[in-house]
Amino acid sequence: MHFFIILRRLFLGLVSSIEEVLTTVALYLVDFLCTLFNLVTPDRPVGKVVPAAPRVWREVARLQQINGYRGRHDHTTGLIPRDGKNIQFKELTTAIRKVYNFSPVFCYFLANNAAQLLVRDYRTDRLDLSDLDAHNLIEHDASLTRVDTYDDPVQGKIATALVEELLSSGTGPGGNLTANDISRLLGKRRIESKRRNPTYSLALFHKLFGSFKYGISPLSSNGF
Ligand SMILES: *[C@@H]1O[C@H](CO)[C@@H](O)[C@H](O)[C@H]1NC(C)=O
């Protein structure tokens, strides 16, 4: 009996990983087609590129002024509930698109990726934004703007001292931050964290992610 349960799980696991791979391939394909489409169709005129977001924010501002607006399910603006809870993944896709005006494929990719990370079903399941805060899911040690989870498990909290150090470390024109500055600071944070945090961990994925999100090469940060 156990044998069949194991077989069934293996089978279901295999089917879902094949599905994930196919989804990713399909997404890249659609994205590629969209890119081709954009190459041959005329550009949108200046001022008409981002239609949705400003309208959405104006609407929120208007409602806030009228009634100290705190709508939970935000049908008016089509954004996510303000408490960040119980959000459908597909709702997240639409909201990201409205606010950031990313490509539809990328918006789906982000929300679908969140579903995969949390091992949930994109079509039927829901998430609280705080679920994404789990240690070593996206959040990782040695970040430039948060202390390590070891020092404070509440990772929504911005570490003012770190941010001030970051902002005063620019060596570019007018004290602007350069890619080299970010590399240097990341390296410094990683070495310091490793030294003082007994639970320090930074998997390859998080090293890459930690560098790429600033647009710098992971190899340029010492302490890699
Ligand atoms: C610093 O960066 C800002 C934002 O990109 C830019 O507007 C500003 O001109 C930069 N300062 C100098 C001195 O280059």
Side-chain angles (χ1 to χ4, degrees):
M1 201 56 209
H2 276 183
F3 176 72
F4 287 110
I5 293 175
I6 290 170
L7 257 191
R8 183 167 178 276
R9 286 208 182 138
L10 275 179
F11 177 73
L12 288 180
L14 193 66
V15 167
S16 84
S17 11
I18 292 175
E19 194 186 338
E20 278 177 20
V21 170
L22 288 181
T23 307
T24 309
V25 171
L27 280 181
Y28 277 100
L29 196 65
V30 172
D31 207 38
F32 181 67
L33 292 177
C34 287
T35 309
L36 290 185
F37 180 77
N38 282 334
L39 282 177
V40 297
T41 48
D43 288 345
R44 285 192 188 173
V46 174
K48 300 273 180 209
V49 181
V50 191
R55 189 183 57 76
V56 166
W57 292 126
R58 273 203 305 274
E59 184 63 14
V60 170
R62 194 181 65 83
L63 291 171
Q64 268 169 346
Q65 258 187 351
I66 296 174
N67 53 9
Y69 168 72
R70 293 221 161 262
R72 224 202 73 77
H73 265 287
D74 218 327
H75 294 301
T76 330
T77 60
L79 301 182
I80 57 170
R82 287 173 61 88
D83 63 5
K85 290 190 177 146
N86 203 23
I87 304 159
Q88 291 175 306
F89 287 99
K90 44 183 192 247
E91 210 180 338
L92 195 58
T93 303
T94 319
I96 294 174
R97 175 147 170 66
K98 279 200 175 163
V99 173
Y100 297 104
N101 195 38
F102 290 144
S103 89
V105 177
F106 185 59
C107 297
Y108 172 77
F109 177 83
L110 286 177
N112 186 52
N113 201 243
Q116 287 178 2
L117 282 172
L118 295 169
V119 199
R120 293 185 198 164
D121 188 329
Y122 174 87
R123 284 154 296 191
T124 51
D125 291 343
R126 290 164 178 265
L127 84 161
D128 294 351
L129 287 185
S130 57
D131 298 340
L132 294 171
D133 200 19
H135 187 47
N136 279 340
L137 190 68
I138 299 173
E139 183 279 313
H140 56 79
D141 283 340
S143 134
L144 289 183
T145 56
R146 308 287 194 282
V147 298
D148 292 356
T149 300
Y150 174 73
D151 293 310
D152 191 344
V154 185
Q155 285 291 308
K157 210 188 292 168
I158 293 172
T160 317
L162 286 178
V163 173
E164 273 167 5
E165 184 189 350
L166 174 66
L167 293 180
S168 62
S169 299
T171 61
N176 277 356
L177 284 162
T178 66
N180 277 339
D181 296 331
I182 303 284
S183 292
R184 192 182 66 248
L185 287 166
L186 273 181
K188 181 164 172 271
R189 278 287 290 145
R190 288 173 186 177
I191 289 168
E192 277 173 5
S193 282
K194 203 186 275 184
R195 190 180 303 143
R196 63 174 303 282
N197 173 358
T199 64
Y200 176 80
S201 68
L202 201 61
L204 179 66
F205 168 76
H206 289 112
K207 282 180 183 163
L208 295 176
F209 180 64
S211 299
F212 285 148
K213 75 178 169 210
Y214 293 110
I216 63 166
S217 154
L219 293 176
S220 68
S221 14
N222 58 31
F224 181 73

